[in-house]
Amino acid sequence: MFIVDAHLDLSMNALEWNRDLTLPISEINKREAGLNDKPDRAKGVVSLPDLRRGNIGLVVATQIARYVALGNNLPGWHSPEQAWAQSQGQMAWYKAMEEAGEMVQINNLETLEKHIALWNDGAPSDKKPVGYILSLEGADSMITVNHVERAYNYGLRAIGPAHYGPGRYAQGTDATGFMGPVGHELLKEMERLNIILDATHLCDDSFWEALDHFNGHVWASHNNVRALVDHNRQYSDDMIKALIERGAVIGGALDAWMMVPGWVRGVSTPQATNCTLDVLIDHIDHICQIAGNANHVGIGSDLDGAFGREQCPYDLETIADLQKIPALFKKRGYSDADVEKLMHGNWLRFLRNAWK
Ligand SMILES: [Zn+2]
């Protein structure tokens, strides 16, 4: 089945993890044997060949670069200009992947339909470029709101104003507080350019404020459910209801700590917490039950988003194993039509509507 994955930090892996994503992940992992600068070394699951093997032909791929003010101990750049430069390096990598025929940017209805037709033409997928919709995770790197139009011109189509911690335009996971006037300006500019608001990572205050001030299209690329794992990073049922009312699609994520309760980073293991792909269905099903249909959820795996096999479902060896998910939905009684919506149809409907 054709799969859309709405959240992958591909350029971050290429440039900060130094992974050549044109190689199979088995080879990338082999080369990382013995490295211990990051907890997920040699435990990666994502590469372009493995995406093709899994028939995951369209992804939302990020630029990501945080600004940290003095006293903020999260990793990040000390000025917005440095963060912008980092994001431009990431853009240069995506462009190089396009020139190599490995990826293709999807940024309007025409390129979307052409790409979907290519991936559904019956030919083997091993030579097809992986389509990517460019998204920015955390808006700190926008030096000014005027930079948003420059980014739109090189293909940016979605922005999540916040990531972890306090941000320049919005407050994110583990932070509290509102977006303020500069955040409102950002939302206004996104609306003018028809850039999708990614509500993922917004803290509760900023989340409600963003929905109030933004009249454009809203999705949540990678977000699980607070009722199942109680953390501010997750959505409460009220937040889920509000997103459904806005026509949003929410991407279910495969980061173990967001899937199973009580995860302790670096201590818990997927095996000991029984973290399998089936747990993702619990989160997705919770949203479907609130919606009363299967129209508002998809996959936004976040795989290799600074974690690897040590912190994702143990029945997933590479991202190609997303192909195991349709059978898990069917076991829960989802119809074939609903499974297609959940694996790709909802994201495609959202994009066709947003870009029409
Ligand atoms: Zn994220």
Side-chain angles (χ1 to χ4, degrees):
M1 181 174 301
F2 184 69
I3 296 180
V4 176
D5 187 338
H7 191 82
L8 290 174
D9 297 313
L10 296 179
S11 64
M12 182 190 87
N13 272 272
L15 296 188
E16 290 181 58
W17 269 246
N18 196 7
R19 289 174 169 166
D20 177 3
L21 297 181
T22 67
L23 300 174
I25 191 63
S26 53
E27 286 182 40
I28 295 171
N29 285 335
K30 235 182 262 170
R31 189 158 177 183
E32 293 186 359
L35 290 181
N36 54 18
D37 58 321
K38 298 179 190 295
D40 55 331
R41 281 298 182 198
K43 299 189 184 85
V45 300
V46 177
S47 80
L48 294 166
D50 292 282
L51 283 166
R52 290 188 193 99
R53 209 159 48 80
N55 209 25
I56 306 154
L58 181 61
V59 304
V60 179
T62 62
Q63 296 170 291
I64 177 167
R66 179 187 295 114
Y67 161 70
V68 285
L70 191 64
N72 181 347
N73 292 323
L74 289 170
W77 297 100
H78 291 185
S79 72
E81 290 80 1
Q82 288 167 278
W84 169 261
Q86 173 75 2
S87 75
Q88 297 313 292
Q90 294 169 343
M91 193 60 232
W93 179 79
Y94 287 120
K95 286 290 164 206
M97 287 299 99
E98 289 189 57
E99 283 166 29
E102 295 275 351
M103 297 180 76
V104 61
Q105 189 182 74
I106 305 304
N107 52 33
N108 59 28
L109 213 47
E110 192 192 336
T111 49
L112 177 68
E113 300 301 354
K114 199 176 138 203
H115 188 68
I116 299 307
L118 172 71
W119 273 77
N120 288 292
D121 68 0
S125 59
D126 59 327
K127 294 279 184 292
K128 292 174 182 171
V130 173
Y132 77 102
I133 296 158
L134 187 67
S135 177
L136 179 67
E137 183 165 29
D140 287 357
S141 57
M142 289 296 168
I143 301 171
T144 70
V145 168
N146 293 331
H147 285 70
V148 177
E149 185 166 9
R150 279 161 71 172
Y152 179 86
N153 289 337
Y154 61 67
L156 187 69
R157 291 295 179 269
I159 296 179
H163 190 225
Y164 278 82
R168 297 178 59 226
Y169 296 96
Q171 315 314 318
T173 300
D174 294 335
T176 54
F178 294 96
M179 299 182 73
V182 191
H184 297 171
E185 259 178 65
L186 173 77
L187 293 175
K188 211 187 283 168
E189 182 67 349
M190 288 167 59
E191 200 177 306
R192 183 179 76 83
L193 294 164
N194 195 26
I195 291 177
I196 296 158
L197 169 65
D198 188 345
T200 302
H201 283 295
L202 290 167
C203 74
D204 287 32
D205 298 333
S206 289
F207 173 92
W208 292 110
E209 188 183 9
L211 288 196
D212 278 349
H213 283 83
F214 184 75
N215 300 303
H217 302 279
V218 184
W219 71 23
S221 61
H222 59 303
N223 230 109
N224 289 350
V225 167
R226 202 175 286 181
L228 300 179
V229 177
D230 188 13
H231 188 280
N232 70 75
R233 165 78 179 83
Q234 315 267 82
Y235 283 146
S236 68
D237 289 1
D238 283 344
M239 295 163 104
I240 292 166
K241 278 178 209 152
L243 287 168
I244 291 166
E245 272 168 32
R246 290 290 291 265
V249 177
I250 302 169
L254 290 170
D255 192 340
W257 82 261
M258 294 164 59
M259 300 175 71
V260 293
W263 183 272
V264 182
R265 213 174 275 268
V267 176
S268 301
T269 65
Q271 285 81 2
T273 54
N274 205 19
C275 183
T276 62
L277 287 167
D278 202 46
V279 176
L280 178 69
I281 314 297
D282 296 339
H283 287 265
I284 291 180
D285 186 65
H286 185 90
I287 298 171
C288 291
Q289 297 307 328
I290 290 175
N293 57 53
N295 297 339
H296 294 280
V297 206
I299 305 294
S301 76
D302 202 12
L303 288 169
D304 288 358
F307 63 94
R309 290 202 71 193
E310 80 290 355
Q311 198 177 302
C312 73
Y314 66 81
D315 51 349
L316 181 142
E317 192 178 335
T318 79
I319 194 163
D321 288 331
L322 294 186
Q323 283 296 346
K324 292 179 178 173
I325 295 177
L328 299 174
F329 279 126
K330 280 186 203 162
K331 235 173 51 195
R332 304 276 185 115
Y334 282 82
S335 70
D336 287 347
D338 280 346
V339 176
E340 285 190 16
K341 285 186 199 172
L342 295 162
M343 299 308 297
H344 60 256
N346 289 334
W347 292 123
L348 296 183
R349 183 198 66 234
F350 181 100
L351 288 166
R352 285 172 174 139
N353 178 52
W355 290 347
K356 70 175 184 272

